[in-house]
Amino acid sequence: MKKSVVLLSSLVVSAVFSVAQAQETVRIGAITTLTGRLAEFGAQQKAGFELAVDELNAKGGIGGKKIELVLEDAASDVNKALAAAEKLANSGVGIILNEYSSSIVKPVAQFLSRQKVPNIVVSSSDESITKPGFDYVYRINPPTDEYAKILFEVFKDKKIRSVAILAGSGAFEKSVLNSAMEQSKTLNIPVVASQTYDKGLTDFRPILNGFKAKNPDAVMLVGYQEDSVAVMRQAKEVGLNPKVFAGGAAGFALPDFIKGAGSASEYVVTATAWVPEMGSKQKALYDKLSRKLGMAPTYHAAQAYAAVLVAADAIKRAGSSTDREAIRKALDSTNLQTAYAPVKFQNYEGYKNQNKVGMVAEQVQNVGGQLVFVSVYPRKLFLKNRMLFPTPAWDKRN
């Protein structure tokens, strides 16, 4: 009997302590991929989340309460992501930051909307996530329309007359492909060939040889890191030699693309959502994220950083970290300047709760004997960075 009383007392004390601890912190839920094939993106997001939390806590948190990031691993798997979302929703957090991969984010966003949990999409770009959208889903990053727009603006500027497109069959890749097809019609730049491929394909040479026969001015590629490296290496093998290779962000915007593809990456132009050359605030954030990551940060880290600031701002204005309806209403009136971009959720052109923000383009260039990303477009922002695919001949890419 005494043992039972002692055990019960311990459980009561533990429960009281847990409740008190929860009351002393403001909890923000987050889901990202820390393991599996998309872990590189998750590492970037985690760094952005944590840096923002650390900075806010150093300034006193929210209303004097420290922010606690409750982070769950989606493990590159939609079912695990849904389990993580259910766990966070049941834990009582008032808002959740939602993942990277479009194939994972959309079902998670739909689930959280049914549970009436506000969630911020951090880096996923599939158009259908916010078009037509859901009442409880807010996206800070641009949809795939913007990925295609920036690349086709480059094509128009450089007088590209035909394009071939290779894209993966995932939700993000197909959405970029659809957006590219629309831009093709709008700007009258014909798509002479388009091909999708399933995850796991390793030999792209038959497709690339088919593109070579079409002799397009540009080849646009949309895929993740492993695919981006394989495609460019094999394009070099088969001698596919357009005026420009253009990547639809994702794997083409990562440091490991250059590392893996080596000389085959030189002159590739890619869409991206954030670069340090945009301004002093962006450069300062870039430097802080670089120190935290131990390598160059990508736009995914900057978007994650901004998402925490947006969530904290909404919680502060809502006057509660657990009242989900109050937080949702606060998100509706968000108007925040961040070192990623301004954030204001709008309904426009069929989008719902979408931050209206564009993209820029960068190019892999040889600077001082080292291949690096250099911001090149729009020209009005990056006038000093003149190179934009001079000659693409493979015999000049040693």
Side-chain angles (χ1 to χ4, degrees):
M1 177 66 73
K2 288 182 179 180
K3 288 183 179 180
S4 298
V5 172
V6 171
L7 178 60
L8 181 60
S9 299
S10 298
L11 290 172
V12 170
V13 170
S14 176
V16 170
F17 178 76
S18 296
V19 171
Q21 190 178 41
Q23 291 173 342
E24 291 169 2
T25 62
V26 173
R27 299 165 70 240
I28 295 176
I31 304 169
T32 194
T33 282
L34 301 174
T35 55
R37 69 185 184 91
L38 302 174
E40 187 173 8
F41 299 100
Q44 292 278 342
Q45 286 191 329
K46 183 172 181 285
F49 292 150
E50 291 179 345
L51 178 63
V53 169
D54 289 345
E55 288 186 353
L56 288 170
N57 282 340
K59 296 175 183 178
I62 301 175
K65 294 182 178 182
K66 295 290 186 183
I67 299 170
E68 177 190 353
L69 181 71
V70 186
L71 185 62
E72 295 290 334
D73 182 11
S76 306
D77 180 87
V78 65
N79 290 323
K80 291 178 181 177
L82 285 167
E86 184 175 18
K87 180 180 177 182
L88 287 171
N90 290 340
S91 76
V93 296
I95 189 168
I96 295 173
L97 311 180
N98 191 353
E99 237 289 351
Y100 162 73
S101 170
S102 293
S103 298
I104 297 173
V105 166
K106 186 175 179 180
V108 169
Q110 290 173 324
F111 168 77
L112 291 174
S113 285
R114 290 195 297 271
Q115 302 302 309
K116 298 185 176 181
V117 181
N119 61 109
I120 298 175
V121 174
V122 177
S123 296
S124 175
S125 298
D126 179 359
E127 298 247 311
S128 63
I129 292 170
T130 51
K131 194 177 190 178
F134 311 95
D135 287 344
Y136 291 81
V137 180
Y138 298 78
R139 178 158 57 188
I140 69 167
N141 63 290
T144 55
D145 261 358
E146 299 299 332
Y147 289 64
K149 278 180 185 177
I150 190 67
L151 293 179
F152 272 79
E153 284 174 14
V154 171
F155 296 161
K156 182 180 179 181
D157 185 28
K158 302 302 291 185
K159 296 180 172 55
I160 294 298
R161 291 185 172 83
S162 59
V163 183
I165 306 174
L166 175 62
S169 59
F172 163 73
E173 302 101 299
K174 287 197 293 187
S175 189
V176 175
L177 173 60
N178 291 338
S179 295
M181 298 301 284
E182 289 300 316
Q183 286 299 308
S184 165
K185 296 174 185 175
T186 299
L187 298 180
N188 194 28
I189 302 174
V191 174
V192 295
S194 67
Q195 180 71 52
T196 58
Y197 64 89
D198 292 331
K199 182 177 69 176
L201 181 67
T202 58
D203 186 2
F204 297 93
R205 281 167 288 225
I207 298 172
L208 297 173
N209 275 317
F211 283 5
K212 184 179 177 181
K214 296 287 186 179
N215 194 30
D217 276 359
V219 173
M220 181 175 168
L221 307 160
V222 192
Y224 293 112
Q225 194 266 328
E226 286 183 1
D227 298 342
S228 68
V229 170
V231 166
M232 288 311 303
R233 283 185 171 276
Q234 290 172 27
K236 184 175 182 178
E237 287 178 29
V238 303
L240 177 58
N241 193 22
K243 291 181 179 178
V244 60
F245 284 99
F252 292 89
L254 294 174
D256 275 358
F257 167 61
I258 296 176
K259 183 179 178 181
S263 62
S265 70
E266 191 173 0
Y267 304 136
V268 171
V269 174
T270 182
T272 190
W274 172 85
V275 291
E277 294 94 337
M278 285 177 167
S280 58
K281 290 182 179 180
Q282 286 82 0
K283 180 61 167 64
L285 177 58
Y286 182 93
D287 291 343
K288 288 184 287 188
L289 287 168
S290 294
R291 289 192 291 270
K292 186 166 184 65
L293 282 160
M295 62 179 178
T298 65
Y299 61 88
H300 312 92
Q303 290 166 341
Y305 174 89
V308 172
L309 301 185
V310 171
D313 173 69
I315 289 169
K316 182 179 180 180
R317 289 186 292 107
S320 171
S321 62
T322 57
D323 186 336
R324 292 168 176 171
E325 286 304 313
I327 293 171
R328 182 181 67 82
K329 289 178 182 178
L331 286 170
D332 286 339
S333 57
T334 293
N335 190 357
L336 195 65
Q337 297 292 323
T338 77
Y340 157 62
V343 180
K344 183 179 182 180
F345 300 112
Q346 301 180 59
N347 301 332
Y348 67 95
E349 297 175 5
Y351 291 106
K352 184 179 181 66
N353 300 335
Q354 172 66 57
N355 189 32
K356 197 171 185 179
V357 59
M359 303 278 281
V360 299
E362 54 189 4
Q363 182 178 37
V364 180
Q365 296 184 12
N366 190 319
V367 179
Q370 183 177 2
L371 293 175
V372 295
F373 288 113
V374 177
S375 302
V376 291
Y377 204 87
R379 288 298 200 186
K380 62 184 178 181
L381 293 180
F382 311 118
L383 281 172
K384 65 180 181 178
N385 302 328
R386 297 289 181 183
M387 190 187 298
L388 200 63
F389 52 94
T391 174
W394 284 117
D395 61 0
K396 295 192 177 183
R397 304 182 189 189
N398 298 321

